[in-house]
Amino acid sequence: MMMCFRKLTLSLVLTLPLVGYAFPTEKEGFNLVGHLGNLSPYQKAPVPNGIKEELPGDCKVEQVMLMHRHGSRFPLASELPFITNLVSKLSNHSSTIQKLKLEPELEFLKSGYVSTLGHDDLTGPGRKQLFDHGVAFRLNYPDLQATSILAGLQDRVVESAQWFAEGYFGRSWSGLNSTVFSTIPEDSATPSWITPSNTCKGWQYAFGNNLTIEWGTLYIPPITKRLNKLLPGVNLTNDDIHGALYACAYDLAAHGVSPWCNAFEQSEILDFEYELDLLMVGAFGYDLPGKMGPVLGALFVDKLIQRFTDTSSSAQQLYLEFGHDTTIDFALTALGFAKDTPLLSAKGPVRANRKWRTSTQVPFAAQMVWEKFTCSSSFKGPQIRLLLNDSPFPLSTCKKMDRKFGSCALNDFVEVNKASTSISWGDSTWNSTCGN
Ligand SMILES: *[C@@H]1O[C@H](CO)[C@@H](O)[C@H](O)[C@H]1NC(C)=O
Ligand SMILES: *[C@@H]1O[C@H](CO)[C@@H](O)[C@H](O)[C@H]1NC(C)=O
Ligand SMILES: *[C@@H]1O[C@H](CO)[C@@H](O)[C@H](O)[C@H]1NC(C)=O
Ligand SMILES: *[C@@H]1O[C@H](CO)[C@@H](O)[C@H](O)[C@H]1NC(C)=O
Ligand SMILES: *[C@@H]1O[C@H](CO)[C@@H](O)[C@H](O)[C@H]1NC(C)=O
């Protein structure tokens, strides 16, 4: 997420579980790391039932468009105070805590909980995620040639693109003349498919921070009550508990481990995950008013279709681009994927069977990879498929999706996305949606 939320913001981040990192123990088989919403560390998404990951042997990928989220980061500046206030509160009550008989999962408080988290920037594990993905991309598409890299102009995004490039090209990549590294501003004046909402004034007013505030007032107080019973005299507030949930996610993002993660029940983590989903669907997805979500996401879909249907010599084999969870969530919204009917609501309870899942859609270092491929016999004409976080994501809105591969004919894809391609930045639809 790229912007600061006003007031009570909840944000979310989690970190990555890569070799060499200690993750919190799984309580009763529950893997918390996969349930931290858009604060989850990178992980491969589940492969949908019955969908094959490998294309048939007679098919060849000809063009790829990668939209990569930045890797694990520190909390946003707006989120950090929740953690620092918690730390201060605990420190002020350290003598009380010393005298308490604590449950094993809170025992760590006796030695004091300190935090050295920064804010906004990429973390060590975040750097590793991007480097690893650069290497993997090289191995996945050995025959395709990259000639450019584009990053949204924000430090953690630019740094992410750089680490990816180190893994993909090697250490001398910045001297490669054939590869152009460029950035695109993330401001309110520059139309961009990476940050479409930045140029939409109406979005500033509409974005659904409300959902998360509403849900927070429902799910956090019972946790506060439970933990205050275990920590008499410390008097934790709801904001402190929010801070402790952030501490779990962001310690993981920065250090690979957090004592706080074990302090929560499975259902409490699932409630937190729902908060993160509500935030993203409310501010960058279907719960925005009217057609705002699809209209903003249309900029990405237009770019994709324009490139994959470009038969001129300016078409590139690979497009390597770096942005945000919000970029991917807007795109999914324009494409009509992961849509819940009725819309997700903050009135509770958690909609357990919901389709919108930021834990699998947009963890840190999420990768949305679009492939255009042709086959000598399996399919006629150019085909398209989506790999979201290393697993096929079925293009279910196509008229004739292939059930084995989740792919469809490029023509079909173009046809069913006409609503997006009929919209462009600054046209009458855009203006009426954004109140320009
Ligand atoms: C901790 O104590 C200091 C000094 O009295 C005070 O300024 C601070 O607000 C306290 N922290 C919290 C979170 O109450
Ligand atoms: C890059 O290209 C420019 C102009 O084409 C050329 O002068 C320069 O030597 C090249 N640099 C490298 C590192 O190849
Ligand atoms: C969010 O809450 C504010 C004030 O409480 C209200 O003015 C605004 O309309 C709400 N936004 C949405 C999208 O519900
Ligand atoms: C606990 O915190 C609340 C809200 O900050 C305050 O009103 C209350 O007096 C505190 N209770 C104790 C026992 O410190
Ligand atoms: C949309 O708004 C912009 C900025 O106000 C304006 O320049 C443009 O002409 C508008 N487009 C249409 C189709 O009205």
Side-chain angles (χ1 to χ4, degrees):
M1 235 171 359
M2 65 247 181
M3 67 292 308
C4 291
F5 291 97
R6 292 158 295 172
K7 299 193 292 186
L8 219 222
T9 252
L10 332 164
S11 9
L12 4 151
V13 162
L14 235 269
T15 298
L16 40 123
L18 295 178
V19 181
Y21 292 99
F23 278 93
T25 50
E26 295 190 14
K27 268 197 206 168
E28 294 139 26
F30 175 67
N31 181 14
L32 163 148
V33 165
H35 292 279
L36 292 165
N38 61 335
L39 308 188
S40 297
Y42 183 78
Q43 56 199 330
K44 178 179 162 70
V47 178
N49 251 342
I51 300 284
K52 289 203 184 328
E53 294 185 66
E54 297 288 327
L55 290 176
D58 65 304
C59 300
K60 198 165 175 254
V61 175
E62 293 173 331
Q63 226 183 355
V64 177
M65 180 169 163
L66 164 70
M67 175 51 65
H68 206 303
R69 184 191 183 194
H70 60 76
S72 288
R73 56 158 169 76
F74 288 119
L76 300 176
S78 56
E79 298 164 335
L80 186 59
F82 289 88
I83 300 173
T84 50
N85 285 340
L86 168 69
V87 166
S88 163
K89 166 87 56 91
L90 292 169
S91 154
N92 288 359
H93 289 84
S94 60
S95 58
T96 307
I97 291 171
Q98 289 310 321
K99 289 180 212 127
L100 297 175
K101 173 151 177 25
L102 296 176
E103 301 287 319
E105 62 270 20
L106 294 174
E107 192 64 38
F108 72 95
L109 292 173
K110 295 230 164 167
S111 27
Y113 174 74
V114 293
S115 178
T116 54
L117 297 175
H119 60 84
D120 294 293
D121 293 341
L122 208 59
T123 61
R127 297 194 281 274
K128 184 175 188 311
Q129 291 159 341
L130 269 292
F131 181 86
D132 288 348
H133 288 179
V135 174
F137 205 81
R138 169 62 84 190
L139 301 179
N140 285 344
Y141 304 104
D143 301 329
L144 299 180
Q145 196 60 45
T147 52
S148 71
I149 291 182
L150 177 69
L153 188 47
Q154 189 179 61
D155 191 72
R156 62 177 173 270
V157 177
V158 171
E159 190 183 349
S160 291
Q162 290 168 336
W163 285 109
F164 182 97
E166 294 280 328
Y168 183 82
F169 295 110
R171 67 183 175 185
S172 56
W173 70 278
S174 58
L176 296 175
N177 235 353
S178 53
T179 303
V180 181
F181 186 90
S182 56
T183 59
I184 181 168
E186 297 193 349
D187 59 23
S188 60
T190 312
S192 170
W193 62 100
I194 295 178
T195 51
S197 57
N198 289 24
T199 53
C200 178
K201 272 196 208 113
W203 175 84
Q204 310 285 345
Y205 302 106
F207 97 75
N209 208 2
N210 294 8
L211 284 183
T212 53
I213 292 172
E214 201 176 336
W215 176 242
T217 62
L218 279 182
Y219 92 90
I220 295 182
I223 310 178
T224 310
K225 202 166 159 200
R226 184 180 72 78
L227 287 179
N228 274 329
K229 249 189 221 151
L230 298 175
L231 293 166
V234 180
N235 202 12
L236 296 170
T237 62
N238 292 330
D239 279 358
D240 292 333
I241 296 303
H242 210 197
L245 287 161
Y246 282 143
C248 161
Y250 285 114
D251 281 349
L252 283 183
H255 311 306
V257 64
S258 174
W260 281 109
C261 294
N262 281 326
F264 297 104
E265 306 285 349
Q266 175 173 329
S267 66
E268 293 166 350
I269 294 294
L270 294 178
D271 286 349
F272 180 52
E273 182 184 31
Y274 194 55
E275 174 191 323
L276 301 178
D277 285 357
L278 288 173
L279 171 58
M280 298 308 284
V281 84
F284 314 97
Y286 295 106
D287 282 37
L288 281 166
K291 293 252 179 243
M292 186 178 280
V295 167
L296 296 181
L299 297 193
F300 178 91
V301 178
D302 290 355
K303 207 75 195 169
L304 169 66
I305 287 178
Q306 177 204 319
R307 289 166 170 176
F308 276 15
T309 55
D310 181 358
T311 53
S312 77
S313 59
S314 62
Q316 294 175 202
Q317 293 181 333
L318 291 181
Y319 294 90
L320 307 179
E321 299 179 338
F322 297 81
H324 300 271
D325 47 0
T326 59
T327 313
I328 294 173
D329 278 341
F330 273 133
L332 293 173
T333 302
L335 292 158
F337 296 149
K339 181 174 189 173
D340 291 289
T341 313
L343 295 177
L344 293 187
S345 147
K347 306 223 186 295
V350 168
R351 190 100 63 86
N353 60 355
R354 67 191 178 280
K355 298 194 177 119
W356 185 268
R357 293 267 171 196
T358 59
S359 298
T360 57
Q361 287 164 204
V362 291
F364 285 127
Q367 330 179 65
M368 176 179 249
V369 176
W370 292 91
E371 293 179 342
K372 175 179 156 185
F373 62 94
T374 53
C375 314
S376 50
S377 56
S378 297
F379 294 104
K380 263 201 203 139
Q383 309 292 309
I384 181 171
R385 76 167 178 161
L386 168 59
L387 298 167
L388 188 58
N389 302 322
D390 278 319
S391 294
F393 190 101
L395 303 181
S396 55
T397 55
C398 285
K399 291 207 183 89
K400 282 173 80 176
M401 179 187 80
D402 183 84
R403 299 241 200 93
K404 239 194 250 164
F405 301 102
S407 57
C408 67
L410 183 57
N411 284 343
D412 186 350
F413 184 81
V414 170
E415 180 69 27
V416 298
N417 284 294
K418 280 225 161 101
S420 287
T421 48
S422 71
I423 296 167
S424 55
W425 189 90
D427 68 9
S428 60
T429 305
W430 180 277
N431 282 2
S432 64
T433 302
C434 292
N436 284 0

